[in-house]
């Protein structure tokens, strides 16, 4: 696209809550235009992220809006926190993407928005997490340097298999044999043990509460601190957001168990044609039965029944994801310096800290610290960054 062709494209910045609220109609209309290709967060979820997380943490709105001939064709939800410009979302790990109208001009619109954002928003660096490999964010130019870390994500290309029966034959024989053996053991338990999908809001709330309680117990037993399960803005957002997504028909939550006992609980979110598997947890008393793996089978079956395109296991180097996944995609963390101070921050966070994070003895020493000291150390890190991931320093083309 030439400069003359961009003459009718205008970029504006939403910096106050009233203007954010006034954007709701145009934002939702753009969501509908994107349809099944939607990968960015919608207005309602972003509003919850602002009111429950970003605003309580002292962030300032910096939403980038692009208009072509007066119509909103681009929305990039960002906030300022100190010298950092970050994605506006409820989870510190992402996902992050630009909401763009389907059009051949997408790349040019995104580039124009980036250039305008660099000039207008200030800040030292743009910090992004959970950026999919298809996002135009990864192709933005005009910056001096960027620091990027890549994560491999296992997926199931549901559309390629067509149904559970064909996909099941792809699974490792040893896994299938153990899966069937565990189902036989479960059938011997008292009561009717089966997969129970939440069909009402009350059922969803009860199952999500059970998920949170089991997860907190699992984390506490291992001395792990997690913002999504600790008191504070992130947990408030997760609790409200999951039920809102259920009300909108975008969240599947279910438990494996009987009327009397819960063996495992898990859930995931439908975004466009993808199912994002958020996680599962099991009652330690039933660990020998591999209940979460049995529950996972039901989640995958449900996605086939709904004719979704992709089952996305999300980032995380866990053995079961490799067993069940049959293809891989990439997501990225990226720091894009905006000034000299941002350059220094990026080099430290993507260089020095990553080298330290790969030292096994240092990680072991950190885990032995009292929780209070671990929390103090975490405040020195960028939220949501995986410092153990391999990083790459890109120079401009």
């Amino acid at each position: 696209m030439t400069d003359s062709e961009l003459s009718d494209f205008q970029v504006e910045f939403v910096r106050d809550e009233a203007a954010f609220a006034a954007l709701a109609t145009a934002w939702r209309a753009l969501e509908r235009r994107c349809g099944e290709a939607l990968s960015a967060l919608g207005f309602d979820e972003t509003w919850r992220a602002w009111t429950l997380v970003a605003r309580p943490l002292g962030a300032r709105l910096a939403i980038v809006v692009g208009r072509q001939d007066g119509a909103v064709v681009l929305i990039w939800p960002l906030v300022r926190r100190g010298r950092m410009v970050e994605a506006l979302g409820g989870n510190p790990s992402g996902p992050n993407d630009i909401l763009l109208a389907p059009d051949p001009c997408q790349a040019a619109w995104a580039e124009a928005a980036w250039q305008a954002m660099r000039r207008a928003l200030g800040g030292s660096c743009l910090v992004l997490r959970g950026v999919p490999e298809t996002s135009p964010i990864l192709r933005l130019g005009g910056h001096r340097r960027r620091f990027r870390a890549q994560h491999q994500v296992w997926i199931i290309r549901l559309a390629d298999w067509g149904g559970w029966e064909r996909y099941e034959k792809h699974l490792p024989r040893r896994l299938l044999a153990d899966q069937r053996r565990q189902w036989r053991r479960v059938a011997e338990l008292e009561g009717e043990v089966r997969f129970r999908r939440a069909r009402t809001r009350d059922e969803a709330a009860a199952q999500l509460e059970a998920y949170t309680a089991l997860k907190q117990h699992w984390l506490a037993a291992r001395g792990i601190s997690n913002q999504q399960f600790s008191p504070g803005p992130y947990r408030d957002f997760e609790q409200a957001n999951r039920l809102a997504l259920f009300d909108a028909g975008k969240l599947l939550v279910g438990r494996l168990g009987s009327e009397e006992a819960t063996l495992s609980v898990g859930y995931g979110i439908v975004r466009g044609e993808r199912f994002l598997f958020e996680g599962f947890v099991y009652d330690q008393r039933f660990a020998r039965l591999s209940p979460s793996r049995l529950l996972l089978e039901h989640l995958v079956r449900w996605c086939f029944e709904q004719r979704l395109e992709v089952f996305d296991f999300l980032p995380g180097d866990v053995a079961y994801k490799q067993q069940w996944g049959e293809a891989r995609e990439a997501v990225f963390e990226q720091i894009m310096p905006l000034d000299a101070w941002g350059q220094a921050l990026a080099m430290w966070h993507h260089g020095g800290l990553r080298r330290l994070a790969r030292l096994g003895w240092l990680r072991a020493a950190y885990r032995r610290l009292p929780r209070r000291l671990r929390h103090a150390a975490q405040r020195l890190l960028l939220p949501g960054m995986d410092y153990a991931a391999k990083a790459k320093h890109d120079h401009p083309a």
Side-chain angles (χ1 to χ4, degrees):
M1 175 177 274
T2 64
D3 290 342
S4 61
E5 290 173 313
L6 268 175
S7 60
D8 293 325
F9 180 75
Q10 303 294 325
V11 178
E12 61 190 51
F13 301 93
V14 172
R15 301 175 187 267
D16 64 79
E17 192 168 294
F20 183 7
L23 193 59
T25 299
W27 195 319
R28 293 183 179 120
L30 184 54
E31 290 176 51
R32 291 191 293 271
R33 286 188 65 183
C34 292
E36 295 303 313
L38 179 67
S39 59
L41 299 184
F43 173 83
D44 296 312
E45 196 166 356
T46 308
W47 180 263
R48 288 190 291 272
W50 165 247
T51 56
L52 296 175
V53 178
R55 186 177 65 190
L57 291 177
R60 291 177 289 163
L61 283 169
I63 301 173
V64 186
V65 178
R67 296 179 184 268
Q68 180 69 40
D69 298 321
V72 174
V73 295
L74 176 151
I75 298 176
W76 193 358
L78 301 173
V79 292
R80 278 277 309 271
R81 281 208 281 181
R83 299 298 299 171
M84 301 291 184
V85 181
E86 302 175 291
L88 171 52
N91 189 318
S93 300
N96 176 248
D97 205 355
I98 302 177
L99 185 60
L100 278 165
D103 192 279
C105 299
Q106 279 187 340
W109 290 339
E111 182 66 27
W114 158 249
Q115 297 295 346
M117 185 272 286
R118 285 186 62 199
R119 293 189 298 267
L121 291 188
S124 292
C125 54
L126 173 64
V127 181
L128 303 172
R129 311 163 186 87
V131 181
E133 63 183 2
T134 56
S135 172
I137 291 173
L138 299 178
R139 297 184 292 277
L140 295 178
H143 50 278
R144 288 163 289 180
R145 292 180 177 89
R146 63 186 167 202
F147 297 77
R148 181 181 291 173
Q150 177 177 325
H151 303 269
Q152 295 295 325
V153 178
W154 285 99
I155 64 169
I156 304 171
R157 299 190 185 279
L158 302 167
D160 292 348
W161 296 100
W164 167 262
E165 292 73 17
R166 187 178 172 192
Y167 164 74
E168 184 183 28
K169 296 176 182 177
H170 148 80
L171 294 173
R173 291 184 179 180
R174 187 173 179 178
L175 172 63
L176 279 176
D178 190 57
Q179 195 83 345
R180 291 162 183 160
R181 180 168 56 252
Q182 299 295 46
W183 277 122
R184 290 193 295 270
R185 290 175 175 174
V186 166
E188 296 171 357
L189 296 177
E190 293 184 8
E192 184 187 2
V193 177
R194 58 183 176 86
F195 178 70
R196 300 165 188 266
R197 178 165 68 91
R199 299 181 181 276
T200 68
R201 198 176 202 274
D202 287 344
E203 289 176 349
Q207 291 186 8
L208 289 169
E209 184 176 344
Y211 174 89
T212 299
L214 287 171
K215 182 66 78 171
Q216 287 174 326
H217 183 268
W218 187 90
L219 292 170
R222 290 159 178 80
I224 300 173
S225 176
N226 186 296
Q227 290 176 308
Q228 292 174 257
F229 298 96
S230 301
Y234 289 107
R235 190 174 73 175
D236 295 343
F237 169 80
E238 287 292 338
Q239 291 175 336
N241 195 54
R242 288 183 299 198
L243 282 178
L245 290 172
F246 179 85
D247 292 339
K250 297 179 181 180
L251 184 138
L252 167 67
V253 56
R255 71 180 185 94
L256 182 69
S258 63
E259 294 291 343
E260 297 79 17
T262 294
L263 280 66
S264 178
V265 186
Y267 77 101
I269 298 168
V270 177
R271 297 199 190 280
E273 298 175 339
R274 301 177 75 92
F275 180 81
L276 307 184
F277 173 58
E278 293 289 336
F280 52 38
V281 66
Y282 60 89
D283 189 321
Q284 298 288 336
R285 295 174 298 172
F286 301 100
R288 66 181 184 85
L289 300 174
S290 307
S292 286
R293 199 177 64 204
L294 300 180
L295 180 139
L296 178 60
E297 177 181 325
H298 277 282
L299 298 181
V300 175
R301 285 177 178 271
W302 181 86
C303 289
F304 274 117
E305 292 169 2
Q306 300 302 308
R307 300 187 180 277
L308 297 174
E309 296 284 329
V310 175
F311 189 105
D312 187 336
F313 284 97
L314 298 180
D317 188 16
V318 187
Y320 78 85
K321 296 184 179 183
Q322 184 174 352
Q323 289 180 319
W324 290 78
E326 44 87 19
R328 288 188 293 180
E329 292 180 346
V331 297
F332 295 85
E333 296 170 354
Q334 187 160 279
I335 299 180
M336 301 167 74
L338 302 173
D339 61 17
W341 179 240
Q343 175 68 17
L345 283 173
M347 292 179 67
W348 169 238
H349 283 283
H350 259 262
L353 281 178
R354 287 188 186 279
R355 284 192 292 271
L356 292 174
R358 288 195 287 271
L359 297 175
W361 66 267
L362 187 59
R363 293 199 303 271
Y366 169 79
R367 287 194 290 268
R368 289 195 295 269
L369 289 174
R371 181 172 298 182
R372 177 176 56 83
L373 292 179
R374 290 202 307 269
H375 287 174
Q378 288 172 358
R379 286 196 289 270
L380 301 176
L381 308 178
L382 292 175
M385 283 288 181
D386 180 1
Y387 286 93
K390 291 183 179 181
K392 183 175 71 171
H393 180 186
D394 292 341
H395 290 276

